[in-house]
Amino acid sequence: MREFIEKLKETGKLVEITRPVSKVFEAPRIAKQTPAPVLFHDISGSRAIMNVLGSREELAAMFGVDKDRIIQKLSEISPDGEVVLVKDSPTKEVVETEVDLTTLPIMTHFEKDAGPYITAGVVIAEYGGTMNAAIHRLLVVDKNRIAARLVAPRHTYVMHKKAAEKGEKLPVAIVIGADPAVTYASTTRVPAGKEFNYAAALMGKPLEVFECSNGIKVPHAEIVLEGYIDPKERVDEGPFVDITGTYDLVRKEPVIHITRILHRKDPIYHGILPAGPEHLLMMGVPYEPRIYKAVSEVTTVKNVVLTEGGCCYLHAVVQIEKQTEGDGKNAIMAAFASHTSLKHVVVVDEDIDIFDIKDVEFAIATRVKGDMDIMIIPHVRGSSLDPRGAPDGTTTKVGIDATKVLAEKEIFERAKMPPE
């Protein structure tokens, strides 16, 4: 994290706030108004950073590629990097056994929030010989308890369910402020237990981990919270602003008891603004390689983007090199199959800039005939985050084939001026 922050400083991309700032509303408000990574030097005497990976430019810089090559890069990387167990870590510079979460700059973001939320905490759990690392939203209940939103049937939910059925506590560690590659890797859908291997592959070097007192192995970070998920205890979790910028439901969720806090001297807390650019990209970009690979099975795919207007989650634009009629519709079906939360998808030709929504709209305006090129698929599984979804989790999906008719492609040719 600190190396990444230094690179941001060197390139002039970091905004630094030195005056005292409140963790209740004020810091999140500043982050929302700042289109760049922002480092706070004094939130109740602590440091914190937001918008770390708040744009595709930051992601591209982390991966060492141009912005329009991110998905091709990610689709080529396998989760087979090396993970090395080490004995010591700078994370152990300070060890607190008297736990008080209120001493950390954990922020309250919006007026109806249930309370302060940890939003960039990577929850690492191990059970039955398998580990999992994933970001979960974490509501601070009191000084040593956190309510964790665990979504079925994802891995942490399954591990907790199996442990709870046996009346067992599930040991966990919550990592805050790791290398951004680790945080990103924890949002991906890789084979079970491969998140750290994937992070190492992204970094291009071995990832060091050390063992906590409860047996959980974690990477070096600014802060680590050790504890366990209680097999029975549940409390109200929410309201919370999710990726759509609307409030999610209040649910009874499991409780994590924090037993120790490890942190560096003068740690830098990492917070992700709910529904902010970093939240959207961290949620959406990991699905883009999945869509890319799925569409590549049915036609020649060139690029994929989950659009910001679609919350980087519900809307996709897929660029293909059309080979035969029907490729557009096959691409639509492949995209929906690869990302079940996807609600609307537009398929375009190579001459359309998928990062320019005006260009995409041009394709829809000039290449779509509604009765032939729009697919409507009712009553299918959607996203629980979609406010328009049905109570049973279903929705209606729409696919738009905005590609040229191959037999008449000349009439769709875009006018060009000759070079000087």
Side-chain angles (χ1 to χ4, degrees):
M1 173 67 84
R2 297 191 182 201
E3 290 177 6
F4 193 77
I5 291 172
E6 284 304 312
K7 289 179 182 177
L8 292 172
K9 280 186 181 179
E10 292 169 7
T11 56
K13 294 181 178 178
L14 183 68
V15 174
E16 298 190 64
I17 308 294
T18 56
R19 65 177 176 83
V21 173
S22 172
K23 61 185 177 182
V24 180
F25 305 138
E26 187 179 11
R29 185 184 298 114
I30 292 171
K32 186 174 183 179
Q33 296 168 348
T34 308
V38 54
L39 177 64
F40 300 96
H41 285 270
D42 186 359
I43 298 182
S44 302
S46 298
R47 293 195 291 169
I49 190 165
M50 300 183 77
N51 300 345
V52 174
L53 297 175
S55 73
R56 288 184 184 268
E57 284 73 21
E58 265 89 56
L59 277 176
M62 186 175 77
F63 299 138
V65 296
D66 293 332
K67 182 180 76 170
D68 59 357
R69 289 283 303 166
I70 291 174
I71 304 313
Q72 289 89 335
K73 169 81 173 179
L74 292 177
S75 65
E76 295 166 359
I77 294 177
S78 300
D80 55 7
E82 185 181 1
V83 180
V84 179
L85 180 63
V86 296
K87 290 185 178 180
D88 204 6
S89 171
T91 312
K92 296 180 178 181
E93 288 176 343
V94 179
V95 178
E96 298 179 4
T97 54
E98 293 294 324
V99 174
D100 186 356
L101 295 170
T102 65
T103 62
L104 298 175
I106 303 170
M107 301 171 202
T108 304
H109 304 86
F110 296 93
E111 60 183 357
K112 293 183 181 178
D113 283 2
Y117 266 92
I118 298 172
T119 52
V122 180
V123 179
I124 301 167
E126 294 182 21
Y127 191 76
T130 304
M131 66 79 65
N132 181 61
I135 290 182
H136 296 276
R137 69 191 199 212
L138 305 166
L139 169 65
V140 176
V141 178
D142 53 34
K143 287 185 177 182
N144 65 351
R145 293 189 306 153
I146 291 170
R149 169 70 172 131
L150 304 184
V151 181
R154 294 180 184 168
H155 203 172
T156 313
Y157 172 92
V158 172
M159 295 169 94
H160 170 250
K161 186 172 184 288
K162 289 180 178 179
E165 286 171 351
K166 296 182 179 181
E168 298 173 355
K169 300 174 180 177
L170 180 67
V172 297
I174 301 168
V175 173
I176 303 170
D179 186 295
V182 173
T183 307
Y184 173 81
S186 71
T187 69
T188 59
R189 301 292 182 265
V190 294
K194 289 289 187 178
E195 290 87 0
F196 289 167
N197 303 90
Y198 186 56
L202 289 173
M203 296 164 63
K205 61 182 180 180
L207 175 68
E208 292 186 348
V209 298
F210 66 95
E211 189 168 335
C212 294
S213 63
N214 63 357
I216 302 298
K217 301 170 188 65
V218 301
H220 305 307
E222 295 293 315
I223 303 165
V224 172
L225 312 178
E226 295 183 17
Y228 62 89
I229 307 180
D230 192 273
K232 294 182 178 180
E233 186 179 4
R234 289 177 179 266
V235 296
D236 285 344
E237 186 276 325
F240 176 82
V241 173
D242 223 302
I243 56 169
T244 56
T246 57
Y247 289 97
D248 199 7
L249 301 174
V250 177
R251 302 176 180 87
K252 292 288 186 184
E253 294 289 352
V255 172
I256 301 178
H257 289 254
I258 305 301
T259 55
R260 287 208 318 171
I261 299 178
L262 316 176
H263 64 80
R264 298 193 64 167
K265 294 176 182 176
D266 188 23
I268 303 172
Y269 176 85
H270 178 204
I272 294 175
L273 178 67
E278 186 173 15
H279 187 189
L280 299 183
L281 288 175
M282 296 287 271
M283 283 282 286
V285 170
Y287 283 100
E288 292 175 352
R290 292 183 59 155
I291 298 172
Y292 185 94
K293 290 178 181 178
V295 175
S296 71
E297 296 291 327
V298 298
T299 188
T300 304
V301 61
K302 307 302 290 185
N303 215 340
V304 173
V305 65
L306 285 158
T307 67
E308 290 186 27
C311 308
C312 288
Y313 202 62
L314 302 176
H315 285 186
V317 181
V318 178
Q319 185 188 59
I320 67 171
E321 181 183 343
K322 192 171 179 179
Q323 308 293 323
T324 62
E325 289 302 337
D327 281 0
K329 292 182 177 62
N330 284 342
I332 289 168
M333 292 187 289
F336 282 142
S338 64
H339 177 26
T340 54
S341 293
L342 192 60
K343 187 176 180 182
H344 302 140
V345 61
V346 181
V347 179
V348 299
D349 297 297
E350 292 175 274
D351 64 333
I352 300 298
D353 181 357
I354 64 173
F355 297 102
D356 183 350
I357 201 64
K358 291 182 180 178
D359 225 29
V360 175
E361 187 179 356
F362 167 83
I364 295 171
T366 62
R367 300 176 185 181
V368 172
K369 188 177 181 185
D371 62 331
M372 297 178 66
D373 299 320
I374 296 178
M375 298 174 62
I376 299 176
I377 311 167
H379 203 70
V380 287
R381 178 185 164 191
S383 171
S384 62
L385 301 177
D386 178 10
R388 193 63 180 88
D392 64 358
T394 60
T395 190
T396 297
K397 302 192 177 191
V398 178
I400 301 174
D401 180 2
T403 60
K404 306 171 188 175
V405 178
L406 289 176
E408 303 170 352
K409 62 181 180 180
E410 293 81 7
I411 67 174
F412 299 100
E413 183 180 353
R414 304 178 76 174
K416 298 178 181 177
M417 288 186 175
E420 292 184 17

